[in-house]
Amino acid sequence: MRGPDTYTEGLFTMRRLDDFVPANHPLRRIRVMANEALAEMDSLFSAMYEADIKGGRPSIAPEKLMRAMLLQILFSVRSERQLMEQTRYNMLFRWFIGLAMDDPVWVPTVFTKNRQRLIAHDAVVVFFNEVIRTAHKKHWLSGEHFSVDGTLIQAWAGHKSFVSTAPGKDADKDPNDRSGPGGFKGTTRSNETHSSKTDPDVRLYRKGKTASELRYMGHTLTDNRHGLVVNARVTQADGHAEREAAKVMIHDARQAVGDADVEVTLGADKGYDAAEFIEALQRMKVTPHIAQNKSGRRSAVPDEVAATEGYALSQRKRKLIEQGFGWAKFVGPIRQVMVRGLRKVDQLFVMTMAVYNLVRMRTLGEVRPVAG
């Protein structure tokens, strides 16, 4: 028997938002871990707003703002305007952020302005570190064996914005003409002579068989036990950026270990097999588990290191780092960022890796109980 196509809405409901979220929903565990990290940031949030004594309308609670930023990455929401629109009618979003059914949703420009305050106070970096601290408490990190790699990030700037820095050089060019005297076809462009008008921090770069694009370069250091990202940063794209960023990140990891007698290892692909980089690792008392590059040259990685069982294990574990990059580009916003400037891109990248860690930690919490 066909049911009637009718719609009847009750005047009142006695159910809470929490009642609409399934008990086994994956966001529940993520929200708990995110709230634990945010609770540790209370003093930072207080310092951010204590100087604001002019009164007026209350600003967005930073905890709610951070949870909204997590949702934007988790659900691949492409803009703040779309995020606010979905929050208006999506009960799951309201529950996760901490908004009641009748709470008004923020204006997108207000949301963006408050987010800049978080960036100015490095709140995203602190949140990332608190997530890592949670993983450490649950014994999901080895703290001694790491892998490093980098990935290209397409900038929010087009080739037409990449113009000569010489005075008056491109003043009479038509930016819509790509082939004639107003375009760049048949001309030589380089980072020494040209710069992007849209994003001056970006660099024209190519790697391998890829085409030259305006790009940044993201770098991560992962712990080999479960592939969690323990350090992340963005630099300008050039041929030395990966190794230079790796030195900084593994130095921080080595300092965190403290005990010089504890062996710290670093796995990486063949692109890191350079004598200068291997020597830098050895000075930091880090064993180089770098893939040997013997294509027409001699590898800088000692053969006695490459023959060890730990080296073979690091070579298998280092491939976990690619999962983070894949997730950040397929689910997250890193394939082509929608922000400009090195600082903003760096903050977005770090936040994305923090969310990636939360997703992995949610799974680890289900299949690997906390060690006693």
Side-chain angles (χ1 to χ4, degrees):
M1 178 178 176
R2 179 180 176 182
D5 182 17
T6 59
Y7 174 72
T8 304
E9 185 176 16
L11 183 59
F12 301 104
T13 178
M14 300 300 293
R15 302 180 67 185
R16 301 175 303 163
L17 278 176
D18 188 79
D19 298 332
F20 293 95
V21 182
N24 60 347
H25 196 284
L27 278 186
R28 284 192 176 273
R29 189 179 293 271
I30 291 177
R31 191 176 192 270
V32 170
M33 291 187 292
N35 285 342
E36 290 177 357
L38 292 172
E40 297 295 328
M41 299 170 63
D42 184 69
S43 58
L44 171 64
F45 292 148
S46 297
M48 286 168 51
Y49 290 89
E50 66 181 5
D52 190 5
I53 58 176
K54 297 181 180 180
R57 292 182 302 174
S59 58
I60 301 174
E63 295 86 352
K64 289 183 171 63
L65 179 61
M66 294 287 286
R67 286 191 288 265
M69 293 168 64
L70 295 180
L71 282 178
Q72 186 173 5
I73 295 173
L74 282 166
F75 287 87
S76 307
V77 182
R78 63 178 179 268
S79 69
E80 286 83 5
R81 186 171 298 277
Q82 188 181 66
L83 176 64
M84 296 302 98
E85 178 185 345
Q86 292 198 27
T87 303
R88 188 170 292 111
Y89 56 76
N90 191 320
M91 291 188 294
L92 179 65
F93 279 29
R94 283 180 172 270
W95 167 83
F96 188 89
I97 293 173
L99 294 175
M101 190 83 76
D102 298 326
D103 285 345
V105 178
W106 316 299
V107 177
T109 53
V110 175
F111 179 87
T112 303
K113 183 177 180 180
N114 279 269
R115 188 184 61 178
Q116 299 309 314
R117 195 197 304 259
L118 293 177
I119 294 177
H121 289 81
D122 286 328
V124 169
V125 177
V126 176
F127 178 77
F128 177 90
N129 291 334
E130 291 297 338
V131 171
I132 292 301
R133 190 170 289 110
T134 299
H136 179 72
K137 292 177 181 177
K138 295 180 182 296
H139 305 281
W140 290 334
L141 301 175
S142 70
E144 301 167 8
H145 306 292
F146 305 94
S147 297
V148 69
D149 203 356
T151 189
L152 296 177
I153 301 173
Q154 188 171 346
W156 196 19
H159 281 285
K160 293 178 183 179
S161 72
F162 198 65
V163 298
S164 173
T165 54
K169 183 71 175 178
D170 293 303
D172 57 347
K173 287 187 177 182
D174 178 9
N176 296 318
D177 184 4
R178 297 174 61 91
S179 58
F184 54 79
K185 185 176 181 180
T187 63
T188 300
R189 300 179 301 159
S190 71
N191 293 313
E192 287 72 29
T193 59
H194 290 65
S195 177
S196 172
K197 296 187 297 182
T198 305
D199 186 353
D201 291 336
V202 77
R203 294 293 180 266
L204 189 68
Y205 185 74
R206 63 171 295 179
K207 184 177 181 180
K209 297 181 180 180
T210 62
S212 295
E213 298 285 352
L214 295 176
R215 290 166 165 155
Y216 288 100
M217 187 170 285
H219 314 269
T220 60
L221 183 76
T222 59
D223 187 275
N224 282 356
R225 178 169 292 175
H226 294 300
L228 294 173
V229 179
V230 296
N231 203 326
R233 63 189 60 227
V234 170
T235 65
Q236 292 178 328
D238 63 57
H240 303 282
E242 287 185 296
R243 293 194 292 269
E244 292 304 315
K247 291 178 190 176
V248 175
M249 294 189 293
I250 194 59
H251 176 267
D252 292 345
R254 172 77 263 190
Q255 292 296 107
V257 173
D259 190 350
D261 294 331
V262 175
E263 183 186 23
V264 174
T265 65
L266 180 67
D269 59 33
K270 294 181 179 179
Y272 293 83
D273 186 4
E276 179 271 335
F277 182 67
I278 302 301
E279 292 171 1
L281 292 183
Q282 292 171 335
R283 287 195 298 269
M284 288 186 279
K285 300 186 182 301
V286 175
T287 305
H289 285 180
I290 314 299
Q292 289 185 308
N293 184 4
K294 296 184 177 181
S295 301
R297 60 189 290 273
R298 181 177 180 179
S299 172
V301 180
D303 289 336
E304 55 270 23
V305 173
T308 62
E309 183 179 350
Y311 177 88
L313 180 60
S314 290
Q315 287 302 301
R316 293 195 299 270
K317 284 288 189 176
R318 72 175 177 84
K319 298 177 182 179
L320 288 173
I321 203 169
E322 297 294 343
Q323 296 181 14
F325 291 147
W327 188 93
K329 292 185 176 183
F330 185 75
V331 178
I334 300 303
R335 182 178 298 277
Q336 180 177 20
V337 292
M338 301 296 285
V339 293
R340 296 188 176 102
L342 180 62
R343 183 174 174 82
K344 290 183 179 180
V345 175
D346 178 71
Q347 295 279 318
L348 180 61
F349 185 73
V350 172
M351 188 64 170
T352 301
M353 290 305 166
V355 177
Y356 170 73
N357 280 341
L358 288 172
V359 172
R360 286 192 66 87
M361 289 162 62
R362 179 198 66 83
T363 304
L364 289 172
E366 293 181 352
V367 300
R368 294 182 182 275
V370 179

